[in-house]
Amino acid sequence: MDYKSPTTQFSFDVNSNTTFKKDDCNYINTLSIKELNTLENTSLLDIFLSRSNVVEPHYHQNAAELIYCISGAAVVSLINPFTNELLHFPVTPGQVANVPQGWWHYEVATVDCTHLLAIFNAPVPEVILGSDLLTITPANVLAHTYCLNEAKVKDTLAPVKPGTFIGPPADCCEPGKAEGANAAHANNMAPYTYPQAPQPLQPFGYQPAPVHGYYGQPYVQQYHGQPYVQPYPGLQTAAGPAGNV
């Protein structure tokens, strides 16, 4: 980087780079080295959510993600691929949850006007979305692999659109039903703390987050199967131009 060059950039208005927008309350702004050329190995997503909206299940194949809650409240859920556990961590203003590189995760807003900052240790965050995997994988492969009815698989997955990013979609085919279900889902996200023995500090100053359980289920849920990780270049998702983040 030539810091004497007239093209050197030291500031940028992240509000001017909205890469996904569901509506005025649910959208994502992005900052990467493409917008600010002095960033080096840092990038971020500025995420705004209303209650019960979800940053869809996904993983980042090139970066870890530190999620900082600016306002509102959310639950960050992730699968630990070394233990096959589904873990849930609530964040409120000033709190963070860390998602290691390549780990399957999602975020659910539990109140309106939730504002999250997702910080990445990569110049450009890459992502593979659950909606892309569901729409790209042939229905007959899913049906055959898991002994399912192919017609029902096709019917169930037909509404799924690649590049969903924030769900449920604005044009959800059953808005009344979805709204009620999402409200109930958010109401069930009040944390319940399960007792645990004190844990020693891990190397490099990392300390495990406190144990919590959600959705009326035990804190640890078994997940049978490892996350699928493959390299994928650029900001695009596995679906190609449909992705923006």
Side-chain angles (χ1 to χ4, degrees):
M1 185 71 211
D2 180 6
Y3 289 100
K4 295 182 292 184
S5 170
T7 61
T8 303
Q9 302 165 319
F10 296 101
S11 65
F12 182 79
D13 184 359
V14 182
N15 298 302
S16 68
N17 191 38
T18 300
T19 52
F20 180 83
K21 185 172 184 177
K22 172 182 172 179
D23 53 41
D24 289 340
C25 296
N26 297 276
Y27 57 95
I28 301 173
N29 298 331
T30 301
L31 177 68
S32 72
I33 200 170
K34 294 181 178 181
E35 292 77 43
L36 187 59
N37 59 19
T38 56
L39 273 183
E40 296 185 351
N41 204 45
T42 304
S43 53
L44 61 84
L45 301 181
D46 203 18
I47 303 168
F48 298 84
L49 300 170
S50 57
R51 181 172 176 264
S52 81
N53 277 263
V54 184
V55 178
E56 68 163 305
H58 63 283
Y59 64 88
H60 303 285
Q61 64 271 43
N62 73 325
E65 177 181 1
L66 180 65
I67 302 165
Y68 177 83
C69 182
I70 298 173
S71 63
V75 174
V76 179
S77 299
L78 56 87
I79 291 174
N80 182 331
F82 297 97
T83 63
N84 282 347
E85 294 172 342
L86 174 61
L87 309 177
H88 309 286
F89 301 100
V91 290
T92 55
Q95 297 180 335
V96 302
N98 190 51
V99 181
Q101 180 177 339
W103 287 28
W104 188 253
H105 64 285
Y106 54 94
E107 298 89 44
V108 183
T110 53
V111 299
D112 285 331
C113 301
T114 291
H115 185 186
L116 306 174
L117 190 65
I119 305 165
F120 301 91
N121 58 343
V124 178
E126 300 172 4
V127 66
I128 293 180
L129 303 172
S131 59
D132 291 349
L133 297 179
L134 289 173
T135 53
I136 293 172
T137 305
N140 65 324
V141 173
L142 294 172
H144 175 72
T145 303
Y146 304 111
C147 194
L148 303 172
N149 182 292
E150 183 178 344
K152 290 183 178 180
V153 171
K154 289 181 177 179
D155 184 63
T156 299
L157 296 181
V160 179
K161 297 179 180 179
T164 295
F165 287 102
I166 298 177
D171 59 349
C172 183
C173 60
E174 296 182 278
K177 180 179 179 181
E179 182 178 356
N182 292 332
H185 175 73
N187 288 334
N188 288 332
M189 298 187 79
Y192 177 83
T193 302
Y194 288 81
Q196 67 170 7
Q199 300 184 23
L201 289 175
Q202 300 297 317
F204 309 110
Y206 172 77
Q207 186 172 9
V211 174
H212 295 281
Y214 294 90
Y215 322 111
Q217 300 177 6
Y219 168 68
V220 177
Q221 299 177 346
Q222 295 302 318
Y223 182 84
H224 302 288
Q226 299 294 331
Y228 171 67
V229 180
Q230 65 176 8
Y232 195 84
L235 264 178
Q236 296 180 342
T237 67
N244 295 300
V245 178

